[in-house]
Amino acid sequence: AYGYDMNSAFSWGMLQDMPKDTDKGPINKTRRIVKPDELGFQVTGELCLPGQSADYIFKSEPSPFKRFVEVWYERKRTAKNRKDKQYAKDVLNMSVGWMQRANYWLRSAIIGHCNIRMNNLIRKYRDIILFSNTDSIVSTERIPELDSNIGLDVGQWKLEHDGLFAYIGQNSQWDFALPTYRGTPKGWFKEGYDLLKDERPTC
């Protein structure tokens, strides 16, 4: 299998069009089709693009986060040590998390742009995609669309894995290395653990 990972997915989401004047609330609170200069949301929070039906609608505007993302992504990309890189990564990601408290419309737009991008890829390549999450895709074949967009910039891709892949639900393992298992720290697994045969360890 082949494992692709998107560079700073949430930061890419921050660079897309955002709902305008969110502090004033939606300009429309009755369900209708989103116009070309608007963004909408379902009651459940999903982002709706122009042409889709939405429950809450805002005027849209170019991202107000462009400078913020440029500065902190460059600090992450050029960090001289692991600590500085992790700090820059945390600033980018935690700012999105904080928006759940500070401005959930903006957070929903950022997450929504990421989800729409990933879902479009999953639908397009559904015959070869095994596994996906917020910012990664695992496929049984190389994906030319992603191969042609490999690079270091925000939203570009990297081919992180090329080898044996096992998964059960959202738990996964590459080449018999320590697995990624939700709710279980990597330190609990012993070398040689096989996701498809061995029991989940307990502390």
Side-chain angles (χ1 to χ4, degrees):
Y2 303 90
Y4 294 90
D5 188 72
M6 192 195 315
N7 296 330
S8 292
F10 290 162
S11 299
W12 176 86
M14 292 178 81
L15 295 175
Q16 310 311 305
D17 286 351
M18 288 290 126
K20 187 176 182 180
D21 296 329
T22 51
D23 56 323
K24 298 177 183 177
I27 59 171
N28 190 82
K29 297 180 183 179
T30 55
R31 193 163 186 81
R32 68 166 172 81
I33 300 298
V34 180
K35 296 176 182 177
D37 62 342
E38 297 174 335
L39 287 174
F41 298 90
Q42 304 284 13
V43 169
T44 49
E46 287 90 351
L47 177 66
C48 300
L49 300 178
Q52 297 177 323
S53 180
D55 297 299
Y56 303 108
I57 296 174
F58 293 84
K59 287 291 185 183
S60 63
E61 65 176 350
S63 171
F65 305 117
K66 187 171 184 291
R67 178 68 177 151
F68 171 78
V69 171
E70 286 175 349
V71 168
W72 283 101
Y73 186 77
E74 184 63 15
R75 290 182 184 180
K76 174 187 168 184
R77 195 177 67 81
T78 61
K80 291 183 170 56
N81 56 62
R82 182 179 291 181
K83 181 181 177 183
D84 289 348
K85 182 175 183 177
Q86 186 62 49
Y87 181 76
K89 181 178 180 179
D90 288 346
V91 168
L92 288 166
N93 289 338
M94 290 178 182
S95 62
V96 178
W98 177 251
M99 284 185 202
Q100 183 63 30
R101 296 184 177 192
N103 192 318
Y104 51 82
W105 298 112
L106 292 176
R107 182 181 184 277
S108 290
I110 293 165
I111 303 301
H113 281 300
C114 294
N115 289 342
I116 289 169
R117 184 181 186 188
M118 294 299 289
N119 287 335
N120 287 342
L121 285 168
I122 291 165
R123 278 193 292 270
K124 189 172 182 179
Y125 298 103
R126 63 182 173 272
D127 293 338
I128 62 170
I129 288 179
L130 296 173
F131 182 92
S132 67
N133 57 31
T134 306
D135 61 356
S136 66
I137 284 177
V138 178
S139 61
T140 57
E141 300 174 19
R142 294 290 290 265
I143 301 176
E145 181 178 340
L146 303 188
D147 286 338
S148 65
N149 193 24
I150 286 177
L152 299 176
D153 291 338
V154 175
Q156 287 192 299
W157 296 85
K158 52 183 172 282
L159 183 64
E160 281 206 321
H161 298 282
D162 175 356
L164 297 174
F165 179 72
Y167 69 103
I168 299 174
Q170 288 298 305
N171 305 317
S172 62
Q173 183 178 31
W174 282 98
D175 294 316
F176 296 100
L178 296 181
T180 299
Y181 203 114
R182 292 195 171 187
T184 307
K186 281 188 184 290
W188 290 9
F189 295 93
K190 295 180 179 178
E191 292 295 330
Y193 178 88
D194 186 335
L195 178 67
L196 300 183
K197 295 179 180 178
D198 298 330
E199 293 292 324
R200 174 191 174 196
T202 55
C203 63

